[in-house]
Every structure is written in structure tokens, then in C-alpha cells.
Amino acid sequence: MTRHASLAAQLAALKAAIQRPTEPIEPLKTNWCTVAANDNNPEELVDKRVERRWSIRPTLSEIEREIEDGETTYGFHVDESGKKHKITVAIGNLQFSDGTATEKAYKYGPDGKVVMDDVQLPVGAMLKTKEAQERTLGGDGILSSSGIYTKIYKARHPGEVKRRDPELVRRERAEAQTRTKTEMRQELADAVARTVSLPTTKVYPPGFPWQASNLRELFMGVEKGRKGESGSIAWQDISTHVVEREVWAETIASLSSKDKVTLHVAETATSLSDFGGSGHRRTRERRGKTRLLALNDNIQAAYKKSAA
């Protein structure tokens, strides 16, 4: 073992102190818990994906409506020989290429890699179309995957609840916006003062929130997304992170002022001579090594005391 490697092994406590957790808790990019072993075989999960709903705009019904009610606009296209052709460039809100329009799209570059570029659309191609992935398929109906939650928790599914009259909701909101908080509090106090006896309380059966209709979205701990991108933080991970940060905070606070200064310098120092003060380089390196070893011992003792 070399001299520098031996010194690095002796300063393990100092290294841990410099790398102590200080940042806020970041959500894990997986719904697997870090305190338990994951025995999944990677070969069994290769090429497996979660099927998702595709959103394509305009939809077929929107296209049919524009064709039926929209006004047709004509234009011209000039071909390679210079001859002009009359073409349809719009039907209502639907727009079509005249051969000069471009849109952002992916294509293969000269080196074989996929790059973003302005791609020229052929004559008649529909413009401003959109295609994107929506939520995970499943859970649309009461008897689908959402039904397991209504059965386990014995609650009513949002789809079985009758909606309130939208006009009544709009009027209530408009009326509430015209009154101040003070006026509403006074109205409540007057109503309580006029009430001789409180009316009986009607207890409704348990139910889920109105949104989302896909109840799986309310239980992110059991939700598995594509490539592990979803899932909630396990409580074990949160508690472990909090405890570690509290122990290190208590450890650093118990150090002396001299040790705190040395630790601060160690976070940005590039050599042992940065700790030795003035004098010859070898003398400064010897002093710096002594200070680091002393700081390491003090940190180790303080950490054991705080973690006990």
C-alpha cells in the first residue's frame, strides 16, 4: 500500500463528513425500496413496456366536422417543371401543405444518429397534427382495474356519483367571489347565534376523490411506470435520510472551532500544505497531515457519541 493510499484509509471519517447528506430529499426514479433487495432478473424485464393511450389531434370526429362545415380554401403548387397546380390548402381549421411547408421532425443524420431537423412536407400533408402518449391504459371503467380499490376500501367509485348542476356551481362561485372573508365569517357567526339546536348530521358512505377517475393514480406506491420513472418515495428511505442528516448535524455542531475551520478548508483543499500555515512546503505538509488526522479522530468520536 502506498503512502497516499494509507493516509486516505486513515481519513475515512473525514471523507464521510465531507460527503455527509445536506441536500433535500430527492424522489427516487423507481418505486423500489432501497432497503430491500431487488431479486428481479434483468433478462426477464428486457423490452417490457407499459402500454399507454395515444392522443392524436385532430381526431377523426374533428376532421369530419371540419369537412362538413368548414370552408375550403384553394392555393397553387409549382412542380419541378415549373407548372402550377390548383390544390386545397385548408378546409375550415384544417391546413394542408403546398409543398413548401416544413415541420420539426426526427431523421437520421449523415453519421447514422437521430437528429432534429426541419423536414419538408409533401403536397397535401396535413399541418399542425399532434401525437403524444397519455396515461397508462386500463382503469377506465368501474369494473376494470379501478374496481379492486373500490372493493378493498368499500368506497363508491367517482363514476357512480351524480354530478352537480354546472350552472348551480357557477352561480355559487360567482356569489362567493362578491363577498369578503370578513362578511362570510360574520354570516357564519350570525347563523350559529340564531341556531337553537344543530340539525342532525348525515353521514355519507366512504368515497374516493372526484379526480382522478383512474383510481390507480391515487396509490402511487403500487404504480409501476415506464422504465421505473414513477413511484413514490419509500418511508424507510425518507426516515433514513432524515436521521443521517440529524446525526451529522449534531456531530459537526459538537466539533471545536478549530476543527470546523479545518473541515471547511478540507472541502476545497488541493494538497496537505493548504493546512500547514506558513513555512517550508514539507513543514506545511507535515503540519497539515497532523491536523487532518486529529480532525478525523475528533469526527469519529463525535459521530459515535451522536449516533449512540
Side-chain angles (χ1 to χ4, degrees), residues 189-208:
D190 296 341
V192 172
R194 294 193 303 266
T195 302
V196 179
S197 61
L198 294 176
T200 57
T201 303
K202 184 176 181 181
V203 180
Y204 288 90
F208 289 105

Side-chain angles (χ1 to χ4, degrees), residues 71-76 85-91:
E71 181 180 353
T72 302
T73 304
Y74 297 97
F76 294 94
H85 303 272
K86 184 179 180 180
I87 60 173
T88 300
V89 295
I91 302 178

